[in-house]
Amino acid sequence: MKLIFLGPPGAGKGTLAVRVKELLKTPHISTGVIFRDAIAAKSPLGLKVKAVIDAGKLVDDETTIALVKERLSQADAQAGYILDGFPRTIAQAEALETFSVVDKVVNFDISNDGAIERLSGRRVCRKCGFNFHTIFNKPKKEGVCDFCGGEVYVREDDKPSAVTKRLEVYRVQTEPLIDFYCKKGLLVDIDASPLVDEILVGFKKALRI
Ligand code: AMP
């Protein structure tokens, strides 16, 4: 199944995607993770996007579309995928239509306050990318990933000034995609406010799986 996870930062898209990828045996493709890996590796892509990402703004469409097009051409993405964090603009959504046919778009419904609560407590493993939370999902040992032993840190763009910007960018540039996909009959809404186990139940029900 070819899925898009749509929703504001802090909606829990990445956390749910980790569960759903096991369930559907399908790759989880997060543009945010790809960019962060590139930044960590100090690759040309990473050097190009670092300042924009740290400020909470969007990477330009051309760069992002080329990256996703290439990733979706790989063998493991032919039968299905979970696209997390892409598309984020109408231009990206229109470009995606030229190289892939999506089955469903899952819209993560959460209030601004709910998203801020998630983002302000989010901690991420630098090595495997797993998302923890200071209240809802603490690592067993503070600062250390339960799964790979990597360092658990605060993303630069989860700091308060960038969070405000990211939510504003979401409302202006990404939210119009809800209407875009609704008109195409692809949208399914899920309540993203509870904890991940409950979101998963709502997800399965909405997709009848
Ligand atoms: P995320 O991990 O999805 O919250 O993404 C982190 C950051 O990466 C975003 O705030 C953007 O700066 C950048 N980014 C991720 N996906 C996209 C996209 N589809 N278009 C533009 N920028 C993106």
Side-chain angles (χ1 to χ4, degrees):
M1 197 175 330
K2 296 179 175 171
L3 297 174
I4 290 173
F5 279 9
L6 181 66
K13 303 184 296 295
T15 305
L16 187 74
V18 170
R19 307 286 280 272
V20 172
K21 81 169 180 184
E22 301 296 331
L23 191 75
L24 299 179
K25 306 274 175 266
T26 207
H28 167 209
I29 300 171
S30 158
T31 40
V33 168
I34 297 172
F35 287 137
R36 279 189 292 284
D37 286 350
I39 291 171
K42 297 193 167 64
S43 71
L45 173 67
L47 295 174
K48 178 171 158 186
V49 300
K50 184 174 182 342
V52 175
I53 290 182
D54 285 352
K57 297 180 193 159
L58 292 186
V59 175
D60 67 277
D61 284 336
E62 200 187 338
T63 303
T64 311
I65 290 165
L67 185 104
V68 173
K69 187 173 182 187
E70 194 286 321
R71 180 63 187 86
L72 293 191
S73 73
Q74 291 175 21
D76 68 334
Q78 299 317 301
Y81 51 72
I82 304 160
L83 264 184
D84 163 12
F86 182 94
R88 263 176 153 99
T89 63
I90 296 282
Q92 291 179 10
E94 286 173 347
L96 177 62
E97 288 183 329
T98 67
F99 54 83
S100 195
V101 179
V102 168
D103 296 310
K104 287 282 173 220
V105 178
V106 182
N107 179 38
F108 286 60
D109 195 14
I110 190 162
S111 68
N112 243 24
D113 287 351
I116 289 170
E117 189 185 25
R118 293 254 180 84
L119 290 172
S120 58
R122 180 156 73 184
R123 300 291 181 270
V124 183
C125 174
R126 217 181 267 286
K127 207 160 144 201
C128 73
F130 191 86
N131 285 341
F132 294 94
H133 192 279
T134 49
I135 299 167
F136 309 124
N137 187 18
K138 291 183 195 174
K140 291 189 185 93
K141 188 173 171 210
E142 206 188 319
V144 181
C145 178
D146 293 353
F147 305 101
C148 73
E151 181 203 354
V152 172
Y153 79 115
V154 182
R155 276 169 48 174
E156 199 54 46
D157 60 349
D158 280 347
K159 294 183 178 163
S161 57
V163 163
T164 312
K165 181 71 192 166
R166 286 164 72 207
L167 287 169
E168 182 192 312
V169 164
Y170 175 78
R171 299 291 169 210
V172 176
Q173 301 204 58
T174 309
E175 213 166 49
L177 292 177
I178 295 177
D179 194 44
F180 179 91
Y181 284 120
C182 190
K183 285 188 178 138
K184 292 178 186 288
L186 293 177
L187 201 77
V188 286
D189 291 305
I190 59 168
D191 177 8
S193 55
L195 292 175
V196 63
D197 287 341
E198 210 176 310
I199 303 178
L200 185 61
V201 173
F203 169 84
K204 286 185 187 166
K205 216 169 174 183
L207 272 92
R208 301 196 179 90
I209 52 174

